[in-house]
Amino acid sequence: MKRRNFLTAAAAATMTAPLAAPPVARAQTSFNWKMTNAYGPGSPFYVEGPGSPTDFCRKVEAMSDGRLRIQHFAAGELIPALEGFDAVRNGTVEMNSANAYFWAGRLPAAQYFTTVPFGMNFQGQNAWLYHGGGMELWDELYAPLGLKALPVGNTGVQMTGWFREPITSVEDFRGLKMRIPGLAGKVYATLGVDVKLLPGGEIFPALERGVIDAAEFVGPYQDRRLGLQNAAKYYYTTGWHEPCNVTELLINKAAWESLPADLQAIVQTAAMACNLESYAWCEANNAAALKDLVDNFGVQANVLPPEVVAALKAATATALEEIAASDPVVRKVHDAFMAFKAEHDGWTAIAEKPLYNLKA
Ligand code: CA
């Protein structure tokens, strides 16, 4: 017994000895970085909360034992909301959190790394990014600009949006004034919608006063926070326009390459953890918020009529083809995305779809 104790103690001493040595190599490499954000102070998911960008900064600092500290600035705290792309490019900050489709004006292919109407959900988008060639294409698109990106969050499926009057046919879109950004706005416009671009904070007053007839934002939790249930009662589902929505962690490529391999691994792993945790947070909160909206605010949550969905789908295919035809880089990303999606849809039809039907 005594002998075994002695051996255990000796083994423990051997094991702990290297840990007691002064961490010389660690002390030589510490980094103080800045991260800006396209979303305002206090925004749940986009700035604060589990799996958010500020949580990412905390995770990286903890995992690196303080060797990589990232100071976070919400929109307006260091630079205006949508200037993160240039700030990271010119090295003013090392990182920015936003959505890649905000840069679609100068980089039309960026849309595919956030979401594509009638594209893929959280599972499919991540399958494409991590294991379907998506990350390689994202790197290829950004490397010439001195940038690198990682997925760092996802809202999951969004909602079609809020309408003051029910939608019974495609004709109801004609002349409808709707707040809807991005590619989906282009699609609605081809069906006669008068598309309005409003920042999140202006949606509620515009919808309440009838300046707009309909609006899209995110999903039940975020939409309830804006009070949209008090301005319209018809809440259509599902997010044909945004089957998921990737939060982009944009990184200055030279800064990224200056990090030792272990800190790069920590950044990648923390980003991946936030991608999952933010999604889980949204799923949990949306479930409770939707129930509250229906039970306590008289909200009617319904799917769009099938012929309306069919018209949106056809208009989306035309719009995507037009964009792909306009630019060889978009064509390459578009074709890769669609080839992966076609294969993934086949698997989804066999596995996920019957599973959902079993639950219903
Ligand atoms: Ca949205």
Side-chain angles (χ1 to χ4, degrees):
M1 189 65 188
K2 246 184 185 170
R3 187 164 167 264
R4 195 164 28 167
N5 281 350
F6 170 75
L7 288 175
T8 308
T14 310
M15 284 169 69
T16 54
L19 294 176
V24 176
R26 289 178 160 210
Q28 290 170 344
T29 51
S30 71
F31 298 81
N32 288 298
W33 280 15
K34 292 186 180 75
M35 181 200 284
T36 44
N37 196 315
Y39 293 89
S43 306
F45 173 86
Y46 293 106
V47 175
E48 302 287 349
S52 70
T54 53
D55 189 29
F56 166 82
C57 297
R58 278 191 295 275
K59 281 175 163 61
V60 168
E61 186 167 335
M63 289 164 84
S64 70
D65 196 20
R67 288 167 58 220
L68 177 52
R69 286 199 167 90
I70 307 163
Q71 194 182 358
H72 180 274
F73 299 89
E77 289 181 340
L78 187 65
I79 55 169
L82 297 178
E83 292 183 11
F85 189 88
D86 288 325
V88 174
R89 267 196 87 180
N90 65 31
T92 305
V93 297
E94 289 81 8
M95 289 177 159
N96 182 68
S97 178
N99 304 107
Y101 68 4
F102 290 159
W103 328 130
R106 57 179 116 183
L107 274 181
Q111 168 83 32
Y112 293 80
F113 302 102
T114 302
T115 190
V116 175
F118 293 101
M120 292 184 283
N121 64 3
F122 175 77
Q123 287 150 281
Q125 187 81 13
N126 281 308
W128 179 61
L129 288 172
Y130 291 132
H131 293 291
M135 283 307 309
E136 287 82 355
L137 284 170
W138 208 350
D139 284 345
E140 196 178 314
L141 182 68
Y142 280 12
L145 301 163
L147 297 169
K148 173 172 179 63
L150 293 171
V152 73
N154 201 309
T155 62
V157 65
Q158 299 204 355
M159 289 286 278
T160 302
W162 299 85
F163 294 75
R164 286 160 63 95
E165 300 295 332
I167 298 295
T168 55
S169 78
V170 185
E171 290 310 306
D172 293 333
F173 284 144
R174 205 150 294 283
L176 190 87
K177 294 188 287 294
M178 182 173 185
R179 183 269 180 187
I180 173 110
L183 201 43
K186 289 193 174 73
V187 173
Y188 273 122
T190 67
L191 297 174
V193 170
D194 181 3
V195 173
K196 305 288 183 192
L197 295 175
L198 297 175
E202 291 176 27
I203 300 174
F204 173 74
L207 191 60
E208 194 194 28
R209 283 185 284 126
V211 176
I212 52 175
D213 310 301
E216 179 277 352
F217 186 48
V218 182
Y221 182 90
Q222 303 278 13
D223 294 0
R224 184 183 59 180
R225 190 168 171 263
L226 295 189
L228 302 185
Q229 68 279 7
N230 298 317
K233 294 294 178 198
Y234 298 95
Y235 195 23
Y236 284 99
T237 179
T238 177
W240 66 270
H241 65 303
E242 297 193 4
C244 75
N245 190 296
V246 177
T247 308
E248 174 193 73
L249 176 64
L250 191 66
I251 311 170
N252 179 285
K253 195 164 180 288
W256 169 254
E257 285 163 359
S258 77
L259 290 181
D262 65 330
L263 290 184
Q264 287 185 345
I266 285 171
V267 168
Q268 281 172 320
T269 304
M272 212 177 258
C274 287
N275 189 13
L276 175 61
E277 194 175 6
S278 63
Y279 169 68
W281 183 89
C282 287
E283 286 289 296
N285 283 288
N286 280 334
L290 181 63
K291 189 173 184 315
D292 178 45
L293 289 170
V294 172
D295 290 354
N296 303 318
F297 291 90
V299 168
Q300 294 192 36
N302 291 310
V303 292
L304 286 167
E307 73 269 20
V308 172
V309 175
L312 288 166
K313 204 168 184 176
T316 296
T318 307
L320 286 175
E321 262 312 315
E322 272 176 22
I323 293 165
S326 70
D327 177 344
V329 179
V330 184
R331 168 57 68 198
K332 184 176 177 178
V333 175
H334 173 90
D335 288 354
F337 182 96
M338 289 303 169
F340 186 90
K341 178 180 140 43
E343 192 174 84
H344 189 258
D345 283 352
W347 162 240
T348 300
I350 295 293
E352 295 284 334
K353 216 168 164 182
L355 183 69
Y356 281 122
N357 291 341
L358 288 180
K359 288 206 288 187

